[in-house]
Amino acid sequence: MDLVFRDAEVVDGSGGDSYRADVAIGGGRIAAIVKEAAAAGCQRPTARRTIDAEGLVLSPGFIDMHAHSDLALLRDPDHSAKAAQGVTLEVLGQDGLSYAPVDDRTRAEVRRAITGWNGDGSDLDLDWRTVGEYLDRLDRGIAVNAAYLVPQGTVRMYAMGWADRPATAAELDRMRRLVAEGMEQGAVGMSSGLTYTPGMYAPDAELTELCRVVAGYGGYYCPHHRSYGAGALRAYEEMVTLAREAGCALHLAHATMNFEVNEGRAPELLALLDRALDSGADISLDTYPYTPGSTTLLALLPSWAGEGGPEAVLARLRDGTTAERIRHHLEELGSDGCHGVPVDWTTIEVSGVADPALTDHVGRRLDGWATARRLLLSDRLGTTILQHVGHEENVRTIMRHRAHTGGSDGILQGLKPHPRAYGTFPEYLGRYVRELGVLSLEECVAHLTSRPAARLRLPDRGLVREGYVADLVLFDPTTVASGATYERPRTLPVGIPHVLVDGRFVMEDGRRTDVLAGRSVRRT
């Protein structure tokens, strides 16, 4: 054996009661579990190294079902933002926009479109084109493991540019081929961002055809659907109907009910999902344990303003007449980019800028369209924001649901990112388990481990079982807590001394090691 944890309190990810055990690791896998070894007088496993885990919980590594670390894993080998939380696997390619598959044109356009999420990538050699080549790049060694969703918006951009129209038969065939190739190369499913251009231009019939391709490979569809505000329930129902029509598993991204129109309405969403589940639908969802959302300032604009791509957006913003039309949609009608709700600028806080000369804006609330327009133009669409529009009651209600999993939706860019990027998983364990009792410890760990592993169809992860991959977390249930706050969002958590990926310490005694044990986790 390489390693033994003595007298750990094992919360194995199944949702069942915890138990005390010695857990031995060998060859990157869990080699032996001896329950109540000391009390039973059993022969205890021995190894080259033994760690006294008394008072610590040993659980499977946490799976972040909604991550925006697509370039961060390559840019920052340390990646303590996730490793220190106990995350051992992230699911990338979210919200329909990422960096594979691409050609040269698409790569340049998607870099511009999501600079606010990931930076512009100019500090990296983005030398891949296909999903397989991107996963190969991850396999050179990263901090934690990563799975990938084929991004539908990028696929549409590749096949037909930024046109706001249905695809032709030839364009749809090309999109089908791109999705199939991505699935064959190891993607676990497909994502959409249906309030982000150009993915939001796709009608349901087009999405259904692509989901049929995904279903043929046993993958799942992960939509950021068309509204989290006005019409949110209709938007959820649209996705449930679409997935069932396609015969595809459905995972609802950051399944929140936001804005004033949805206060207290989480039970209506869960009733909708329960009816679908009870009738045989395959549905799961993820949430983060915070009320504000986070996105780009660009994302709030009406969809028609995005047709043609980033340069076309900037041209429309420069034109006074068109800019006034955008303002009218934002402030009076409620743009589709802002979930059909007229924007309340007092809820919009700047969290990051692409241009360092604009850093004085970070941490400030916007005072109106004139300021927002100047910032979009000056920062060339690279501004990220926090949107303070959530409801704590809805957050707590949804996280109790039987199909719930954890996802940070963590954007790591900007001077003042959302604290969920650094704090989601310890926030669940510290605040919502220990302090508030919303979930039991065993329930919460299952939400963060075995449930997402089942959605990803991973046969040997997500549980503490002999023979399973030794992606493990040891944490102190009495002290674990998120250190990240809105004022200091990059503060690391406390109470998580050890994190192992593939049986190797990526966090040891609360400090990041230099180990890069993470690799791509491909569809099986």
Side-chain angles (χ1 to χ4, degrees):
M1 304 294 182
D2 301 316
L3 174 67
V4 170
F5 293 107
R6 287 261 191 260
D7 294 318
E9 190 67 23
V10 177
V11 178
D12 68 4
S14 68
D17 291 343
S18 66
Y19 58 86
R20 192 177 178 92
D22 291 356
V23 179
I25 312 300
R29 292 186 176 265
I30 299 170
I33 302 172
V34 182
K35 296 183 180 180
E36 300 290 351
C42 300
Q43 182 174 346
R44 310 187 78 168
T46 59
R48 284 187 286 275
R49 181 178 179 189
T50 298
I51 291 180
D52 181 2
E54 186 167 5
L56 298 179
V57 167
L58 174 68
S59 82
F62 306 136
I63 297 176
D64 188 342
M65 286 295 287
H66 193 103
H68 288 286
S69 303
D70 306 50
L71 298 185
L73 277 165
L74 302 175
R75 176 182 293 120
D76 177 19
D78 181 81
H79 202 50
S80 289
K82 295 301 178 66
Q85 293 186 60
V87 171
T88 58
L89 171 60
E90 299 183 89
V91 185
L92 313 177
Q94 299 287 350
D95 294 330
L97 291 166
S98 190
Y99 304 91
V102 293
D103 56 10
D104 288 348
R105 172 189 61 81
T106 308
R107 181 183 64 178
E109 291 176 349
V110 79
R111 282 175 56 187
R112 289 287 308 282
I114 53 175
T115 291
W117 293 356
N118 299 309
D120 68 5
S122 60
D123 55 332
L124 295 167
D125 182 7
L126 310 187
D127 57 354
W128 61 84
R129 296 294 181 273
T130 68
V131 169
E133 289 169 350
Y134 174 67
L135 297 178
D136 288 345
R137 178 72 174 272
L138 298 180
D139 282 342
R140 297 180 193 174
I142 48 180
V144 302
N145 298 311
Y148 189 74
L149 297 164
V150 179
Q152 171 260 330
T154 301
V155 165
R156 199 174 208 265
M157 195 188 309
Y158 194 148
M160 55 183 293
W162 295 75
D164 184 2
R165 59 171 174 79
T168 66
E171 290 165 342
L172 183 55
D173 280 345
R174 191 177 190 195
M175 284 190 271
R176 285 195 196 97
R177 289 196 301 273
L178 289 168
V179 172
E181 289 167 3
M183 296 298 296
E184 289 168 1
Q185 292 163 9
V188 295
M190 181 180 76
S191 73
S192 285
L194 300 179
T195 63
Y196 299 125
T197 57
M200 67 192 299
Y201 298 144
D204 285 359
E206 180 180 310
L207 296 171
T208 301
E209 288 302 308
L210 299 183
C211 283
R212 287 194 173 110
V213 175
V214 173
Y217 289 93
Y220 69 92
Y221 180 42
C222 180
H224 163 131
H225 50 278
R226 298 190 193 274
S227 177
Y228 292 83
L233 289 174
R234 290 194 302 275
Y236 280 111
E237 188 168 13
E238 175 193 11
M239 293 297 100
V240 171
T241 301
L242 186 156
R244 295 195 70 170
E245 175 68 20
C248 189
L250 177 66
H251 180 84
L252 296 164
H254 37 62
T256 58
M257 294 285 285
N258 288 338
F259 301 91
E260 185 177 352
V261 295
N262 289 317
E263 185 172 3
R265 298 187 70 188
E268 297 176 58
L269 166 62
L270 301 185
L272 184 160
L273 298 181
D274 282 335
R275 288 192 297 271
L277 287 163
D278 290 344
S279 65
D282 185 359
I283 299 174
S284 55
L285 57 95
D286 66 67
T287 70
Y288 46 83
Y290 299 89
T291 52
S294 178
T295 187
T296 62
L297 185 56
L298 166 66
L300 304 186
L301 304 189
S303 58
W304 58 262
E307 186 172 13
E311 289 301 325
V313 176
L314 290 168
R316 292 184 180 104
L317 288 168
R318 292 187 194 102
D319 179 77
T321 301
T322 309
E324 169 57 23
R325 185 182 169 206
I326 292 172
R327 184 209 63 78
H328 177 70
H329 275 256
L330 277 169
E331 295 185 346
E332 299 177 38
L333 300 181
S335 81
D336 48 5
C338 196
H339 308 279
V341 178
V343 67
D344 176 356
W345 294 111
T346 66
T347 68
I348 308 299
E349 178 185 356
V350 177
S351 59
V353 290
D355 183 350
L358 300 169
T359 54
D360 285 351
H361 289 274
V362 175
R364 296 181 181 177
R365 304 286 179 112
L366 294 178
D367 59 8
W369 167 240
T371 301
R373 179 190 177 195
R374 286 196 300 271
L375 190 54
L376 284 163
L377 286 167
S378 300
D379 207 25
R380 294 188 59 80
L381 313 180
T383 306
T384 53
I385 60 170
L386 301 185
Q387 198 166 10
H388 295 269
V389 292
H391 305 284
E392 178 67 17
E393 179 186 355
N394 286 348
V395 170
R396 296 188 193 188
T397 300
I398 293 170
M399 73 169 63
R400 294 188 184 101
H401 192 259
R402 54 177 163 156
H404 172 265
T405 67
S408 71
D409 196 12
I411 295 173
L412 298 168
Q413 285 293 115
L415 292 178
K416 195 182 178 191
H418 196 304
R420 68 193 185 192
Y422 283 73
T424 286
F425 295 87
E427 184 77 354
Y428 270 118
L429 297 169
R431 177 167 167 74
Y432 288 91
V433 171
R434 185 180 64 247
E435 296 177 8
L436 299 176
V438 175
L439 295 167
S440 72
L441 180 58
E442 290 85 354
E443 288 174 322
C444 185
V445 169
H447 288 216
L448 307 181
T449 59
S450 64
R451 286 189 188 178
R455 166 53 70 218
L456 296 169
R457 299 190 175 184
L458 303 177
D460 56 0
R461 299 174 195 264
L463 292 167
V464 179
R465 292 283 191 274
E466 291 183 357
Y468 274 54
V469 175
D471 291 349
L472 300 169
V473 182
L474 277 94
F475 62 90
D476 185 338
T478 67
T479 64
V480 61
S482 170
T485 64
Y486 294 100
E487 292 72 30
R488 301 184 65 186
R490 295 186 185 275
T491 306
L492 297 180
V494 297
I496 306 179
H498 302 302
V499 181
L500 285 78
V501 173
D502 196 31
R504 301 167 65 191
F505 285 96
V506 296
M507 297 292 298
E508 187 171 11
D509 295 323
R511 296 182 179 181
R512 178 72 172 93
T513 70
D514 60 1
V515 169
L516 297 176
R519 299 292 185 270
S520 69
V521 174
R522 309 193 188 206
R523 181 187 59 83
T524 59

